[in-house]
Amino acid sequence: MSDDLPQPLTPPECDLRGLEWMPLYGHRLFASDFDAHAGDSAFRAALSLWWSAWNQVPAASLPDDEVALCRLAGLGRDLKTWRAVRTQAMHGFVRCADGRLYHRAMAPIAVDSFEHRRKERTRRLKWKEKSAKGDVPAHVPGDDPGTADRTRHDTTGHDTTGHDTTGHDTTGHNTTQAAPQVRRSANGLRQARAADLGLQASTGGGAARRLKPQAAADRDMVRWLTDELGIEGQQAWMMVIAARDPEDSEHERVARQLEGISREHRLGWFADEREAS
């Protein structure tokens, strides 16, 4: 170690192993001096080193060892080729006081990703605690046969018992009460319906607009997140839970994100007594 060297650019506990993606800011990369001057072999070696650094602990760092760097650059034991491309391939890396090499541009990205990962782990723990109390489903909806059609295509405004939830009885009379009543679904989340909110907007055809029960809307949102965005089912449920929990640190951001998705794709999902379809 040396007092003349900078301190490590990422904390020692910064661990991104198992994360199968690494941000690549194309505009910054292809407008950089590195892209302008690096040869093809050096560029390929650098890309391998970036991915290797992303998976090291601390993240965004590499060992200061020529043999190890040669192998991490994808060159095996070809030290001759490694020495020819080393200067360009190691562009952006600096030696720090702990004896490791850190990438100046990658380090802050790694720190942000690590903080996000810690928040997700905390949220996952919170989800498990709620699951243990029976506050959330024990499985991801859609696993049971026949569930997909019922939740994805059921936009009639009827719940699973067949009752109309629009505030009209079978004779067509308006039965909506002035004072909203709070219902709760089986998973403990707040269940708001059109009748609760007095939402009686009509479609272009003049028929009364019917919003899905919240439980069904949540399932459709989770299914859209998993099918269209590729988000793991448990994480998708945690997003929905956070969006409906004002005490969650991510509540405002996630609620805004999901409401935007709902409006754009007409999923009929809404929160905090606001229509978002």
Side-chain angles (χ1 to χ4, degrees), residues 3 6 22 37 48 50-51 64 70 81 122 128 136 143 151 158 160 171 176 211 214 216 219 235 246 257 269:
D3 295 336
M22 176 182 70
H37 297 286
S48 296
W50 298 342
W51 179 244
D64 188 9
C70 180
T81 300
T122 300
K128 288 182 178 179
V136 296
D143 292 343
T151 56
H158 292 74
T160 55
T171 64
T176 303
L211 298 182
Q214 180 178 307
R219 288 195 296 268
Q235 182 178 350
Q257 177 185 2
W269 184 92

Side-chain angles (χ1 to χ4, degrees), residues 198-256:
L199 300 176
Q200 301 177 21
S202 61
T203 61
R209 189 180 204 173
R210 298 170 180 177
L211 298 182
K212 291 173 286 188
Q214 180 178 307
D218 286 347
R219 288 195 296 268
D220 284 353
M221 174 60 75
V222 168
R223 182 168 290 104
W224 193 94
L225 293 173
T226 55
D227 292 350
E228 303 298 330
L229 296 186
I231 297 176
E232 191 267 335
Q234 183 170 316
Q235 182 178 350
W237 270 110
M238 289 191 292
M239 291 176 65
V240 172
I241 292 171
R244 296 199 183 282
D245 183 2
E247 297 181 0
D248 193 288
S249 60
E250 295 292 313
H251 167 70
E252 183 176 353
R253 181 185 66 81
V254 178
R256 186 181 299 112

Side-chain angles (χ1 to χ4, degrees), residues 181-193 196 214-215 244:
Q181 297 178 354
V182 176
R183 296 185 178 91
R184 293 192 178 274
S185 59
N187 61 17
L189 295 176
R190 186 190 181 285
Q191 183 170 342
R193 302 184 181 182
D196 299 333
Q214 180 178 307
R244 296 199 183 282

Side-chain angles (χ1 to χ4, degrees), residues 29-41:
L29 172 59
F30 297 116
S32 66
D33 291 339
F34 167 76
D35 179 66
H37 297 286
D40 292 345
S41 297

Side-chain angles (χ1 to χ4, degrees), residues 98-233:
D98 63 350
R100 294 181 65 84
L101 307 170
Y102 289 78
H103 196 283
R104 291 189 297 264
M106 183 186 295
I109 300 174
V111 171
D112 289 343
S113 297
F114 181 60
E115 288 301 316
H116 177 74
R117 192 178 212 188
R118 288 206 293 193
K119 288 182 179 180
E120 287 300 317
R121 285 174 174 171
T122 300
R123 185 178 298 159
R124 186 181 297 269
L125 179 61
K126 184 177 180 180
W127 185 90
K128 288 182 178 179
E129 291 174 350
K130 288 186 176 182
S131 179
K133 297 177 181 179
D135 292 338
V136 296
H139 67 284
V140 178
D143 292 343
D144 298 331
T147 304
D149 290 338
R150 183 171 66 251
T151 56
R152 180 183 290 274
H153 302 296
D154 182 13
T155 57
T156 62
H158 292 74
D159 61 19
T160 55
T161 64
H163 294 102
D164 192 335
T165 61
T166 61
H168 292 76
D169 61 19
T170 55
T171 64
H173 294 94
N174 189 341
T175 59
T176 303
Q177 297 181 359
Q181 297 178 354
V182 176
R183 296 185 178 91
R184 293 192 178 274
S185 59
N187 61 17
L189 295 176
R190 186 190 181 285
Q191 183 170 342
R193 302 184 181 182
D196 299 333
L197 310 180
L199 300 176
Q200 301 177 21
S202 61
T203 61
R209 189 180 204 173
R210 298 170 180 177
L211 298 182
K212 291 173 286 188
Q214 180 178 307
D218 286 347
R219 288 195 296 268
D220 284 353
M221 174 60 75
V222 168
R223 182 168 290 104
W224 193 94
L225 293 173
T226 55
D227 292 350
E228 303 298 330
L229 296 186
I231 297 176
E232 191 267 335

